[in-house]
Amino acid sequence: MSEVRNADIDYLMARIALDDLAGRYSRAIDRRDMDLLRSVYHPGAHDEHGTAYAGEVDGFIEAMPGLMANFSVTQHQIHTRSFRIDGNRADGELYFTAYHKTIEPMTHLVVHGRYLDNYEKRGGEWRIARRKLVWDAIVSQPVQESEEELLASLGETGKAEDDYSYDALPLMQRGT
């Protein structure tokens, strides 16, 4: 193969790996799967989640249960993704929408923002080395009882740790 073709394949493989990280991060947060969350970051990585947390990833993962305690449901969606890849380093700006249903008081909370990521490929594996979260907008409104009744009438509803996805997706168990 030509050098250009090899470079194109390397770029595509890196891009797929970085896209996969974005999906794994969202699933890990929403399912409260700390082993899966750890797999998204390199050891010693740094995460800045505004005033909620700033420091090494081990502390972020340790703080996560407390940070998520007042949310009965979360859903993190990654939208526009821009990456620049240079060998074993990459930068990424990922736009996100994160829905949260708070427990007390019951509120729909929707946050829009961006993850500013620095990635590194170590030992053949791409992971986040540094993440900075930027908040762009927030929408909040009380949950109406009629909404809860309608949602329950539709069938299986989203959950955190014991989500139905673990029954429906046998290849996607906790930590994977």
PDB file of all heavy atoms in Angstrom, residues 125-144:
ATOM      1  N   GLU A 125      -3.758   2.149  22.260  1.00  0.00           N
ATOM      2  CA  GLU A 125      -5.146   2.454  22.626  1.00  0.00           C
ATOM      3  C   GLU A 125      -5.345   3.954  22.832  1.00  0.00           C
ATOM      4  O   GLU A 125      -4.595   4.597  23.576  1.00  0.00           O
ATOM      5  CB  GLU A 125      -5.518   1.711  23.913  1.00  0.00           C
ATOM      6  CG  GLU A 125      -6.963   1.848  24.285  1.00  0.00           C
ATOM      7  CD  GLU A 125      -7.345   0.990  25.484  1.00  0.00           C
ATOM      8  OE1 GLU A 125      -6.451   0.506  26.203  1.00  0.00           O
ATOM      9  OE2 GLU A 125      -8.545   0.821  25.706  1.00  0.00           O
ATOM     10  N   TRP A 126      -6.362   4.493  22.158  1.00  0.00           N
ATOM     11  CA  TRP A 126      -6.742   5.892  22.329  1.00  0.00           C
ATOM     12  C   TRP A 126      -7.592   6.048  23.582  1.00  0.00           C
ATOM     13  O   TRP A 126      -8.513   5.278  23.811  1.00  0.00           O
ATOM     14  CB  TRP A 126      -7.552   6.384  21.132  1.00  0.00           C
ATOM     15  CG  TRP A 126      -6.740   6.624  19.903  1.00  0.00           C
ATOM     16  CD1 TRP A 126      -6.615   5.782  18.846  1.00  0.00           C
ATOM     17  CD2 TRP A 126      -5.965   7.783  19.606  1.00  0.00           C
ATOM     18  NE1 TRP A 126      -5.796   6.337  17.901  1.00  0.00           N
ATOM     19  CE2 TRP A 126      -5.393   7.572  18.350  1.00  0.00           C
ATOM     20  CE3 TRP A 126      -5.701   8.972  20.284  1.00  0.00           C
ATOM     21  CZ2 TRP A 126      -4.568   8.516  17.747  1.00  0.00           C
ATOM     22  CZ3 TRP A 126      -4.886   9.913  19.687  1.00  0.00           C
ATOM     23  CH2 TRP A 126      -4.322   9.681  18.431  1.00  0.00           C
ATOM     24  N   ARG A 127      -7.251   7.066  24.385  1.00  0.00           N
ATOM     25  CA  ARG A 127      -8.070   7.423  25.544  1.00  0.00           C
ATOM     26  C   ARG A 127      -7.918   8.923  25.797  1.00  0.00           C
ATOM     27  O   ARG A 127      -7.010   9.570  25.268  1.00  0.00           O
ATOM     28  CB  ARG A 127      -7.630   6.673  26.802  1.00  0.00           C
ATOM     29  CG  ARG A 127      -7.924   5.181  26.778  1.00  0.00           C
ATOM     30  CD  ARG A 127      -7.654   4.596  28.129  1.00  0.00           C
ATOM     31  NE  ARG A 127      -7.798   3.151  28.158  1.00  0.00           N
ATOM     32  CZ  ARG A 127      -7.815   2.448  29.267  1.00  0.00           C
ATOM     33  NH1 ARG A 127      -7.671   3.034  30.442  1.00  0.00           N
ATOM     34  NH2 ARG A 127      -7.951   1.142  29.235  1.00  0.00           N
ATOM     35  N   ILE A 128      -8.776   9.430  26.662  1.00  0.00           N
ATOM     36  CA  ILE A 128      -8.708  10.841  27.048  1.00  0.00           C
ATOM     37  C   ILE A 128      -7.542  11.031  28.010  1.00  0.00           C
ATOM     38  O   ILE A 128      -7.421  10.295  28.994  1.00  0.00           O
ATOM     39  CB  ILE A 128     -10.021  11.287  27.719  1.00  0.00           C
ATOM     40  CG1 ILE A 128     -11.194  11.175  26.736  1.00  0.00           C
ATOM     41  CG2 ILE A 128      -9.896  12.709  28.274  1.00  0.00           C
ATOM     42  CD1 ILE A 128     -12.558  11.342  27.394  1.00  0.00           C
ATOM     43  N   ALA A 129      -6.715  12.046  27.744  1.00  0.00           N
ATOM     44  CA  ALA A 129      -5.642  12.434  28.655  1.00  0.00           C
ATOM     45  C   ALA A 129      -6.054  13.661  29.468  1.00  0.00           C
ATOM     46  O   ALA A 129      -5.633  13.821  30.613  1.00  0.00           O
ATOM     47  CB  ALA A 129      -4.362  12.740  27.879  1.00  0.00           C
ATOM     48  N   ARG A 130      -6.896  14.511  28.859  1.00  0.00           N
ATOM     49  CA  ARG A 130      -7.373  15.715  29.548  1.00  0.00           C
ATOM     50  C   ARG A 130      -8.723  16.097  28.957  1.00  0.00           C
ATOM     51  O   ARG A 130      -8.888  16.086  27.746  1.00  0.00           O
ATOM     52  CB  ARG A 130      -6.382  16.858  29.374  1.00  0.00           C
ATOM     53  CG  ARG A 130      -6.783  18.128  30.090  1.00  0.00           C
ATOM     54  CD  ARG A 130      -5.680  19.190  29.972  1.00  0.00           C
ATOM     55  NE  ARG A 130      -5.953  20.298  30.867  1.00  0.00           N
ATOM     56  CZ  ARG A 130      -5.623  20.342  32.154  1.00  0.00           C
ATOM     57  NH1 ARG A 130      -5.004  19.316  32.694  1.00  0.00           N
ATOM     58  NH2 ARG A 130      -5.910  21.385  32.885  1.00  0.00           N
ATOM     59  N   ARG A 131      -9.668  16.426  29.836  1.00  0.00           N
ATOM     60  CA  ARG A 131     -11.000  16.874  29.410  1.00  0.00           C
ATOM     61  C   ARG A 131     -11.361  18.142  30.162  1.00  0.00           C
ATOM     62  O   ARG A 131     -11.196  18.228  31.375  1.00  0.00           O
ATOM     63  CB  ARG A 131     -12.051  15.800  29.666  1.00  0.00           C
ATOM     64  CG  ARG A 131     -13.485  16.328  29.513  1.00  0.00           C
ATOM     65  CD  ARG A 131     -14.500  15.235  29.461  1.00  0.00           C
ATOM     66  NE  ARG A 131     -14.528  14.752  28.077  1.00  0.00           N
ATOM     67  CZ  ARG A 131     -15.318  13.780  27.647  1.00  0.00           C
ATOM     68  NH1 ARG A 131     -16.108  13.146  28.480  1.00  0.00           N
ATOM     69  NH2 ARG A 131     -15.285  13.415  26.373  1.00  0.00           N
ATOM     70  N   LYS A 132     -11.863  19.109  29.427  1.00  0.00           N
ATOM     71  CA  LYS A 132     -12.397  20.354  29.994  1.00  0.00           C
ATOM     72  C   LYS A 132     -13.822  20.499  29.488  1.00  0.00           C
ATOM     73  O   LYS A 132     -14.064  20.478  28.288  1.00  0.00           O
ATOM     74  CB  LYS A 132     -11.540  21.545  29.563  1.00  0.00           C
ATOM     75  CG  LYS A 132     -12.142  22.900  29.823  1.00  0.00           C
ATOM     76  CD  LYS A 132     -11.930  23.331  31.233  1.00  0.00           C
ATOM     77  CE  LYS A 132     -12.404  24.789  31.397  1.00  0.00           C
ATOM     78  NZ  LYS A 132     -12.520  25.160  32.773  1.00  0.00           N
ATOM     79  N   LEU A 133     -14.761  20.618  30.414  1.00  0.00           N
ATOM     80  CA  LEU A 133     -16.165  20.780  30.044  1.00  0.00           C
ATOM     81  C   LEU A 133     -16.491  22.269  29.996  1.00  0.00           C
ATOM     82  O   LEU A 133     -16.115  23.020  30.902  1.00  0.00           O
ATOM     83  CB  LEU A 133     -17.045  20.077  31.079  1.00  0.00           C
ATOM     84  CG  LEU A 133     -18.509  19.989  30.735  1.00  0.00           C
ATOM     85  CD1 LEU A 133     -19.044  18.633  31.126  1.00  0.00           C
ATOM     86  CD2 LEU A 133     -19.279  21.066  31.467  1.00  0.00           C
ATOM     87  N   VAL A 134     -17.170  22.685  28.928  1.00  0.00           N
ATOM     88  CA  VAL A 134     -17.616  24.066  28.767  1.00  0.00           C
ATOM     89  C   VAL A 134     -19.140  24.045  28.712  1.00  0.00           C
ATOM     90  O   VAL A 134     -19.732  23.295  27.932  1.00  0.00           O
ATOM     91  CB  VAL A 134     -17.044  24.697  27.472  1.00  0.00           C
ATOM     92  CG1 VAL A 134     -17.613  26.083  27.247  1.00  0.00           C
ATOM     93  CG2 VAL A 134     -15.530  24.716  27.512  1.00  0.00           C
ATOM     94  N   TRP A 135     -19.765  24.842  29.555  1.00  0.00           N
ATOM     95  CA  TRP A 135     -21.228  24.931  29.623  1.00  0.00           C
ATOM     96  C   TRP A 135     -21.703  26.032  28.680  1.00  0.00           C
ATOM     97  O   TRP A 135     -21.207  27.149  28.754  1.00  0.00           O
ATOM     98  CB  TRP A 135     -21.679  25.258  31.043  1.00  0.00           C
ATOM     99  CG  TRP A 135     -21.094  24.368  32.093  1.00  0.00           C
ATOM    100  CD1 TRP A 135     -20.008  24.629  32.876  1.00  0.00           C
ATOM    101  CD2 TRP A 135     -21.543  23.070  32.468  1.00  0.00           C
ATOM    102  NE1 TRP A 135     -19.758  23.576  33.719  1.00  0.00           N
ATOM    103  CE2 TRP A 135     -20.693  22.600  33.492  1.00  0.00           C
ATOM    104  CE3 TRP A 135     -22.587  22.254  32.048  1.00  0.00           C
ATOM    105  CZ2 TRP A 135     -20.853  21.367  34.091  1.00  0.00           C
ATOM    106  CZ3 TRP A 135     -22.743  21.021  32.649  1.00  0.00           C
ATOM    107  CH2 TRP A 135     -21.882  20.580  33.655  1.00  0.00           C
ATOM    108  N   ASP A 136     -22.672  25.751  27.835  1.00  0.00           N
ATOM    109  CA  ASP A 136     -23.189  26.748  26.901  1.00  0.00           C
ATOM    110  C   ASP A 136     -24.615  27.192  27.222  1.00  0.00           C
ATOM    111  O   ASP A 136     -24.955  28.347  27.001  1.00  0.00           O
ATOM    112  CB  ASP A 136     -23.135  26.215  25.459  1.00  0.00           C
ATOM    113  CG  ASP A 136     -21.713  26.102  24.935  1.00  0.00           C
ATOM    114  OD1 ASP A 136     -20.869  26.932  25.325  1.00  0.00           O
ATOM    115  OD2 ASP A 136     -21.448  25.186  24.139  1.00  0.00           O
ATOM    116  N   ALA A 137     -25.463  26.293  27.713  1.00  0.00           N
ATOM    117  CA  ALA A 137     -26.861  26.655  27.988  1.00  0.00           C
ATOM    118  C   ALA A 137     -27.473  25.627  28.927  1.00  0.00           C
ATOM    119  O   ALA A 137     -27.005  24.490  29.022  1.00  0.00           O
ATOM    120  CB  ALA A 137     -27.661  26.713  26.687  1.00  0.00           C
ATOM    121  N   ILE A 138     -28.544  26.050  29.594  1.00  0.00           N
ATOM    122  CA  ILE A 138     -29.267  25.148  30.495  1.00  0.00           C
ATOM    123  C   ILE A 138     -30.755  25.492  30.437  1.00  0.00           C
ATOM    124  O   ILE A 138     -31.133  26.661  30.326  1.00  0.00           O
ATOM    125  CB  ILE A 138     -28.724  25.249  31.940  1.00  0.00           C
ATOM    126  CG1 ILE A 138     -29.300  24.147  32.819  1.00  0.00           C
ATOM    127  CG2 ILE A 138     -28.979  26.610  32.528  1.00  0.00           C
ATOM    128  CD1 ILE A 138     -28.578  23.992  34.140  1.00  0.00           C
ATOM    129  N   VAL A 139     -31.588  24.468  30.484  1.00  0.00           N
ATOM    130  CA  VAL A 139     -33.036  24.610  30.511  1.00  0.00           C
ATOM    131  C   VAL A 139     -33.547  23.769  31.665  1.00  0.00           C
ATOM    132  O   VAL A 139     -33.142  22.613  31.821  1.00  0.00           O
ATOM    133  CB  VAL A 139     -33.684  24.138  29.183  1.00  0.00           C
ATOM    134  CG1 VAL A 139     -35.195  24.259  29.237  1.00  0.00           C
ATOM    135  CG2 VAL A 139     -33.116  24.905  27.995  1.00  0.00           C
ATOM    136  N   SER A 140     -34.446  24.334  32.460  1.00  0.00           N
ATOM    137  CA  SER A 140     -34.964  23.639  33.636  1.00  0.00           C
ATOM    138  C   SER A 140     -36.470  23.871  33.730  1.00  0.00           C
ATOM    139  O   SER A 140     -36.934  24.998  33.529  1.00  0.00           O
ATOM    140  CB  SER A 140     -34.273  24.199  34.889  1.00  0.00           C
ATOM    141  OG  SER A 140     -34.804  23.627  36.045  1.00  0.00           O
ATOM    142  N   GLN A 141     -37.211  22.787  34.025  1.00  0.00           N
ATOM    143  CA  GLN A 141     -38.648  22.925  34.259  1.00  0.00           C
ATOM    144  C   GLN A 141     -39.119  21.791  35.151  1.00  0.00           C
ATOM    145  O   GLN A 141     -38.567  20.688  35.114  1.00  0.00           O
ATOM    146  CB  GLN A 141     -39.438  22.958  32.961  1.00  0.00           C
ATOM    147  CG  GLN A 141     -39.502  21.637  32.213  1.00  0.00           C
ATOM    148  CD  GLN A 141     -40.286  21.735  30.920  1.00  0.00           C
ATOM    149  OE1 GLN A 141     -40.116  22.668  30.156  1.00  0.00           O
ATOM    150  NE2 GLN A 141     -41.127  20.764  30.671  1.00  0.00           N
ATOM    151  N   PRO A 142     -40.142  22.038  35.959  1.00  0.00           N
ATOM    152  CA  PRO A 142     -40.656  20.995  36.858  1.00  0.00           C
ATOM    153  C   PRO A 142     -41.233  19.812  36.077  1.00  0.00           C
ATOM    154  O   PRO A 142     -41.804  19.981  34.995  1.00  0.00           O
ATOM    155  CB  PRO A 142     -41.759  21.702  37.653  1.00  0.00           C
ATOM    156  CG  PRO A 142     -41.539  23.152  37.438  1.00  0.00           C
ATOM    157  CD  PRO A 142     -40.837  23.311  36.129  1.00  0.00           C
ATOM    158  N   VAL A 143     -41.097  18.611  36.625  1.00  0.00           N
ATOM    159  CA  VAL A 143     -41.715  17.420  36.057  1.00  0.00           C
ATOM    160  C   VAL A 143     -43.183  17.410  36.475  1.00  0.00           C
ATOM    161  O   VAL A 143     -43.499  17.569  37.661  1.00  0.00           O
ATOM    162  CB  VAL A 143     -41.015  16.137  36.569  1.00  0.00           C
ATOM    163  CG1 VAL A 143     -41.752  14.894  36.091  1.00  0.00           C
ATOM    164  CG2 VAL A 143     -39.554  16.111  36.116  1.00  0.00           C
ATOM    165  N   GLN A 144     -44.065  17.220  35.525  1.00  0.00           N
ATOM    166  CA  GLN A 144     -45.500  17.144  35.799  1.00  0.00           C
ATOM    167  C   GLN A 144     -45.896  15.691  36.067  1.00  0.00           C
ATOM    168  O   GLN A 144     -45.374  14.772  35.425  1.00  0.00           O
ATOM    169  CB  GLN A 144     -46.310  17.687  34.611  1.00  0.00           C
ATOM    170  CG  GLN A 144     -45.946  19.104  34.210  1.00  0.00           C
ATOM    171  CD  GLN A 144     -46.205  20.102  35.322  1.00  0.00           C
ATOM    172  OE1 GLN A 144     -47.230  20.053  35.988  1.00  0.00           O
ATOM    173  NE2 GLN A 144     -45.249  20.999  35.549  1.00  0.00           N
TER     174      GLN A 144
END
